[in-house]
Amino acid sequence: SAKTYLEKVVDSLETASVDQLILHAIAALKDTTGENVELNAKNCSVAVVGLDSKFSIFDEEAVERYLQQGAAGQGQERMQE
């Protein structure tokens, strides 16, 4: 589940970059989807807001790049477990 994933990585979140946080969020979302559901730019949105940044919603192309990075990284993480 997403909660289990986030509990495993919580210590690294405080120092993570925005890109790393987005990838963690995508990984957590992937843990909540059904077996026959794959995240894609049509069913997943990414938005960022922070103290020093305005609210922004990423376009589908940017979301797809994060999804691809997350898929590549997830394979590496599972190999390490």
Side-chain angles (χ1 to χ4, degrees):
S1 76
K3 180 181 174 191
T4 303
Y5 173 82
L6 292 172
E7 286 172 342
K8 287 190 331 186
V9 299
V10 69
D11 292 334
S12 66
L13 297 179
E14 188 172 337
T15 59
S17 69
V18 172
D19 287 334
Q20 291 169 325
L21 291 171
I22 291 169
L23 292 172
H24 282 303
I26 288 171
L29 281 174
K30 285 183 178 181
D31 283 350
T32 66
T33 60
E35 289 183 25
N36 297 327
V37 177
E38 186 172 330
L39 288 180
N40 59 55
K42 299 287 184 195
N43 66 10
C44 181
S45 296
V46 174
V48 175
V49 66
L51 292 175
D52 298 323
S53 62
K54 290 175 50 176
F55 178 77
S56 61
I57 300 175
F58 290 55
D59 63 21
E60 286 185 11
E61 187 177 305
V63 172
E64 191 60 42
R65 282 194 305 268
Y66 280 109
L67 290 169
Q68 289 173 1
Q69 287 177 17
Q74 190 175 39
Q76 292 173 358
E77 287 175 11
R78 289 197 173 149
M79 287 173 50
Q80 293 174 355
E81 289 180 350

